[in-house]
């Protein structure tokens, strides 16, 4: 994502937060809530990304003002930690008692203040992203359309309004409606641009609380002054709030299953991550094969074997690996690289090897995968981490120990991933340089290791029929931009209705912040219709 300010500002802010978090984690146990909130600030800001310096916009002062308001709260946190340390940097029992007597209320107030200021900064970042990526105008149009429809659904038409039904005014009214909507979009966009570019609120209504007024409050007042209804403002703020929560808690994006029809899918077990060094060959082959196995199994039995499968590399840089692997940090590389084409060809096999739409869907999706590293939250979210050589196994074990040491007191980190060395499978050369026999042996070794793992952990056996000969078939589609107006409950009702109408089973997996994988399982002739209904309802 991109925001319109310098990369250096994000780096500076992140460094200060990292230092603050480290200090707070060494503080009295009662300060754990403060540490958690500071960690959330860091996760949020590092989730939203940066912009190339050449694209810097003119609202730098607005960003700096909000950044400094967050930093001022973090400084207060640091001051509390330092106050209750002894001369050697530790915290003695007497200081803990003093903390309990004098500071608990102040800490609670700081947590609330930090959340408010972090939310405000993140709201600014989100809206700046939408503005720079040209998403803001379509978003305004969508919200205006949805709110207008809701108002029309609840409005009782007068006799004069029914003239459209007999064709007297239809064309003229349609033209007027388009003109009115276009003017409303222009008006809303002008307000949002003004708020983003203005160095602090200047409206008398917002004073004297100039520094503490939130961006949301400023937008609410400005839109009201321009005659934009509260329904639009509430819908816009709801969209921003959902985006904030996604950015702050990437680990909370869980797959959700919507099912309908006569037979329901069984509840899948766990998340699986396959890991190698650079997330380009072995982990890609393993991830693709696990995806094949999952669809193969559901086509034969209706059982969705596991929730989600992902891949990563221990040599891909993340903030967590950079801190935890200090002696190896110089060897870490940037992520985002596409999978080795040789790896995809290897797992795909010869052209005659089990042709199916399922295979094509999976290979197309894996081909868009960008190499990624290991983050701390992976250890608490993925039930299994599978690897292929002793070196990667040792690195994963080191990262898990760092994770346990730093986050061990947090309840969500009580149970970390089970790290499993499938087989000691090392690449002797780049995938593109392997002979046909070497490539075949590599794929067979990875498959054998995965089959042993699935047999032991999932009691999985090879299905009796091929992926295309089972009683069911599966269609997978990725929707990049979902209908933001639908609440989770409304989305569930919609998909359950589609599932019941087509007698299909539907599973929704959140792939990223802005896309979802829809897996539809049912009779082959029903899949295309179900896919069309889903795209019309959600896209």
């Amino acid at each position: 994502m991109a925001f319109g300010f310098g990369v250096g500002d994000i780096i500076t802010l992140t460094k200060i937060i990292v230092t603050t978090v480290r200090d707070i984690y060494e503080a009295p146990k009662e300060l754990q809530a403060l540490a958690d909130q500071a960690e959330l600030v860091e996760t949020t800001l590092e989730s939203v990304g940066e912009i190339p310096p050449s694209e810097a916009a003119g609202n730098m002062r607005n960003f700096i003002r909000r950044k400094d308001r967050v930093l001022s709260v973090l400084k207060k946190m640091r001051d509390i930690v330092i106050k209750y340390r002894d001369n050697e940097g530790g915290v003695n029992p007497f200081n803990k008692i003093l903390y309990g007597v004098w500071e608990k209320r102040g800490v609670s107030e700081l947590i609330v203040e930090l959340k408010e200021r972090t939310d405000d900064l993140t709201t600014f970042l989100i809206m700046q992203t939408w503005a720079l990526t040209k998403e803001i105008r379509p978003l305004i149009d969508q919200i205006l359309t949805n709110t207008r429809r809701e108002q029309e659904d609840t409005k009782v038409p007068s006799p004069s309004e029914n003239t459209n039904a007999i064709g007297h005014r239809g064309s003229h009214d349609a033209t007027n409606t388009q003109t009115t909507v276009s003017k409303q979009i222009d008006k809303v966009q002008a307000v949002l641009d003004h708020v983003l570019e203005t160095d602090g609120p200047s409206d008398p209504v917002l004073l004297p609380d100039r520094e503490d007024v939130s961006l949301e409050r400023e937008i609410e007042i400005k839109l009201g002054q321009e005659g934009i209804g509260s329904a639009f403002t509430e819908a816009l703020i709801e969209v921003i709030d959902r985006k904030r929560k996604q950015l702050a808690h990437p680990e909370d994006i869980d797959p959700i299953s919507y099912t309908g029809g006569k037979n329901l899918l069984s509840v899948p077990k766990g998340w699986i991550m396959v890991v190698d060094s650079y997330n380009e060959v072995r982990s890609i082959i393993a991830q693709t094969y696990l995806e094949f196995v999952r669809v193969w199994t559901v086509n034969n039995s209706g059982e969705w074997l596991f929730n989600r499968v992902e891949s990563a590399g221990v040599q891909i840089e993340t903030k967590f690996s950079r801190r935890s692997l200090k002696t190896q940090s110089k060897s870490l590389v940037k992520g985002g690289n596409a999978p080795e084409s040789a790896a995809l060809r290897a797992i795909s096999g010869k052209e005659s090897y089990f042709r199916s739409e399922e295979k094509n869907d999976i290979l197309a999706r894996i081909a868009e995968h960008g190499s990624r590293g290991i983050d701390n939250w992976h250890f608490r979210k993925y039930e299994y981490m599978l690897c292929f050589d002793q070196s990667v196994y040792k690195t994963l074990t080191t990262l898990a120990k760092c994770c346990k040491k730093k986050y061990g007191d947090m309840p969500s980190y009580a149970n970390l991933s089970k790290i499993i060395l499938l087989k000691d499978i090392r690449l002797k050369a780049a995938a593109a340089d392997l002979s046909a026999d070497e490539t075949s042996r590599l794929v067979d070794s990875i498959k054998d290791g995965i089959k042993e793992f699935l047999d032991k952990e999932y009691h999985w056996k090879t299905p009796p029929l091929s992926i295309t000969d089972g009683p069911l078939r599966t269609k997978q589609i990725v929707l990049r931009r979902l209908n933001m107006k639908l609440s989770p409950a409304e989305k569930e009702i919609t998909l359950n209705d589609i599932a019941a109408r087509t007698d299909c089973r539907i599973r929704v997996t959140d792939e990223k912040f802005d896309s979802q994988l829809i897996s539809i399982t049912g009779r082959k002739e029903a899949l295309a219709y179900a896919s069309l209904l889903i795209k019309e309802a959600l896209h």
Side-chain angles (χ1 to χ4, degrees):
M1 293 184 182
F3 299 105
F5 45 79
V7 174
D9 292 279
I10 283 290
I11 294 174
T12 301
L13 178 57
T14 301
K15 285 181 179 178
I16 293 174
I17 293 174
V18 169
T19 304
T20 303
V21 170
R22 185 176 63 243
D23 286 348
I24 290 173
Y25 269 103
E26 297 171 0
K29 187 176 181 180
E30 291 86 348
L31 288 175
Q32 189 64 51
L34 201 60
D36 293 347
Q37 190 63 40
E39 183 78 7
L40 178 59
V41 176
E42 177 188 11
T43 303
T44 299
L45 292 175
E46 291 203 358
S47 293
V48 295
E50 300 169 353
I51 183 172
S54 61
E55 307 236 357
N59 50 16
M60 186 71 165
R61 289 180 299 178
N62 208 349
F63 163 69
I64 291 175
R65 181 171 60 87
R66 287 182 162 83
K67 180 192 73 172
D68 289 344
R69 293 177 69 238
V70 174
L71 294 179
S72 68
V73 181
L74 293 174
K75 183 179 183 303
K76 293 176 185 176
M77 292 179 177
R78 186 195 300 274
D79 291 343
I80 290 177
V81 174
I82 293 174
K83 185 189 301 185
Y84 291 97
R85 282 181 172 172
D86 57 27
N87 293 332
E88 297 179 356
V91 180
N92 61 42
F94 179 69
N95 280 351
K96 285 187 179 182
I97 293 173
L98 289 178
Y99 163 78
V101 171
W102 300 109
E103 299 287 3
K104 279 191 174 182
R105 181 174 179 180
V107 166
S108 299
E109 292 173 351
L110 276 180
I111 292 173
V112 173
E113 188 176 10
L114 179 58
K115 183 181 185 307
E116 290 175 349
R117 295 189 176 190
T118 305
D119 283 352
D120 189 53
L121 176 59
T122 311
T123 298
F124 174 82
L125 300 180
I126 291 168
M127 293 188 63
Q128 183 65 21
T129 300
W130 289 339
L132 290 171
T133 56
K134 311 301 182 185
E135 294 179 68
I136 191 67
R137 192 173 183 86
L139 175 64
I140 296 169
D141 189 11
Q142 181 180 357
I143 296 176
L144 283 172
T145 300
N146 289 334
T147 53
R148 188 170 62 252
R149 284 175 181 169
E150 291 178 356
Q151 292 168 353
E152 289 173 352
D153 288 342
T154 59
K155 181 180 178 181
V156 178
S158 66
S160 62
E161 291 174 328
N162 287 329
T163 55
N164 279 334
I166 58 176
H168 291 305
R169 296 168 46 197
S171 177
H172 178 70
D173 281 2
T175 303
N176 285 342
T177 299
Q178 291 177 350
T179 303
T180 301
V181 170
S182 180
K183 288 181 178 179
Q184 285 182 316
I185 295 174
D186 291 341
K187 187 182 294 185
V188 172
Q189 186 164 4
V191 169
L192 298 183
D193 289 345
H194 174 77
V195 170
L196 286 174
E197 294 170 4
T198 304
D199 183 20
S202 56
D203 194 281
V205 178
L206 300 172
L207 301 174
D209 299 325
R210 176 182 176 129
E211 284 304 315
D212 290 327
V213 67
S214 70
L215 188 62
E216 287 185 4
R217 177 60 178 157
E218 190 173 357
I219 290 171
E220 182 181 0
I221 290 176
K222 288 290 186 182
L223 289 176
Q225 291 173 344
E226 293 296 327
I228 304 299
S230 60
F232 171 86
T233 306
E234 291 171 3
L236 174 63
I237 290 173
E238 182 182 345
V239 171
I240 293 171
D241 186 55
R242 283 203 300 269
K243 188 68 174 179
R244 269 203 314 256
K245 290 175 180 177
Q246 287 180 329
L247 291 171
H249 298 283
E251 73 278 12
D252 288 342
I253 301 180
D254 283 331
I256 305 170
S257 181
Y258 302 111
T259 58
K262 298 177 181 177
N263 301 308
L264 301 183
L265 289 171
S266 60
V267 178
K269 174 188 175 185
W271 289 23
I272 300 172
M273 177 171 278
V274 283
V275 187
D276 60 10
S277 297
Y278 296 99
N279 191 204
E280 290 178 339
V281 180
R282 292 168 296 173
S283 59
I284 293 297
I285 292 173
Q287 180 185 359
T288 306
Y289 184 64
L290 282 166
E291 294 276 14
F292 287 162
V293 165
R294 183 165 59 174
V295 173
W296 187 11
T297 303
V298 77
N299 283 5
N300 271 262
S301 65
E303 178 184 2
W304 198 258
L305 198 57
F306 39 82
N307 254 335
R308 182 175 181 169
V309 57
E310 267 295 352
S311 62
V314 293
Q315 293 299 318
I316 305 296
E317 183 180 23
T318 66
K319 61 185 179 70
F320 174 64
S321 62
R322 189 172 62 247
R323 294 178 206 158
S324 303
L325 304 174
K326 294 180 180 178
T327 58
Q328 306 174 38
S329 60
K330 292 183 179 179
S331 64
L332 298 178
V333 300
K334 299 295 183 182
N337 295 324
E340 284 275 1
S341 57
L344 292 175
R345 288 196 301 271
I347 189 61
S348 176
K350 295 181 180 179
E351 189 174 343
S352 59
Y353 177 57
F354 93 91
R355 296 178 183 176
S356 71
E357 291 185 17
E358 287 90 341
K359 175 183 175 182
N360 295 337
D361 288 343
I362 290 169
L363 289 174
R365 188 158 50 85
I366 297 296
E368 295 186 0
H369 174 88
S371 60
R372 67 194 65 178
I374 299 293
D375 259 317
N376 59 297
W377 64 268
H378 291 156
F379 285 96
R380 69 172 179 173
K381 204 63 178 177
Y382 287 86
E383 188 170 345
Y384 301 100
M385 285 198 177
L386 314 180
C387 58
F388 308 97
D389 64 61
Q390 289 287 349
S391 175
V392 173
Y393 179 82
K394 289 178 181 178
T395 304
L396 281 175
T397 303
T398 299
L399 290 171
K401 288 179 180 177
C402 293
C403 193
K404 190 70 176 177
K405 180 180 178 181
K406 184 171 183 179
Y407 306 102
D409 292 336
M410 299 173 68
S412 56
Y413 282 87
N415 299 304
L416 300 185
S417 305
K418 185 176 182 180
I419 303 172
I420 298 176
L421 176 61
L422 294 181
K423 283 189 171 185
D424 201 351
I425 307 171
R426 297 175 183 270
L427 282 179
K428 298 179 180 179
D433 297 331
L434 295 176
S435 68
D437 288 342
E438 289 172 328
T439 300
S440 179
R441 286 196 296 271
L442 172 65
V443 172
D444 289 342
S445 295
I446 291 174
K447 285 183 177 180
D448 289 343
I450 288 174
K451 288 176 181 177
E452 291 174 11
F453 159 74
L454 292 175
D455 180 28
K456 181 178 180 181
E457 299 294 334
Y458 287 85
H459 309 294
W460 180 81
K461 302 298 180 185
T462 303
L465 300 174
S466 72
I467 200 170
T468 59
D469 293 332
L472 303 170
R473 296 295 298 274
T474 298
K475 174 67 178 173
Q476 293 186 318
I477 56 176
V478 175
L479 297 184
R480 304 256 175 225
R481 294 179 62 82
L482 300 186
N483 188 332
M484 291 174 288
K485 187 60 179 176
L486 286 180
S487 68
E490 291 170 331
K491 194 184 301 178
E492 182 170 4
I493 291 171
T494 300
L495 292 177
N496 269 321
D497 177 62
I498 294 172
R501 289 167 60 187
T502 59
D503 198 21
C504 289
R505 294 83 160 168
I506 302 172
R507 182 160 186 79
V508 181
T509 305
D510 287 290
E511 294 284 286
K512 304 173 184 176
F513 295 127
D514 59 351
S515 66
Q516 288 186 319
L517 172 67
I518 315 290
S519 300
I520 312 162
T521 302
R523 293 174 292 106
K524 182 178 180 179
E525 56 270 21
L527 296 183
Y529 182 49
S531 175
L532 176 63
L533 292 177
I534 289 171
K535 288 179 179 178
E536 289 178 347
L538 299 183
H539 197 228

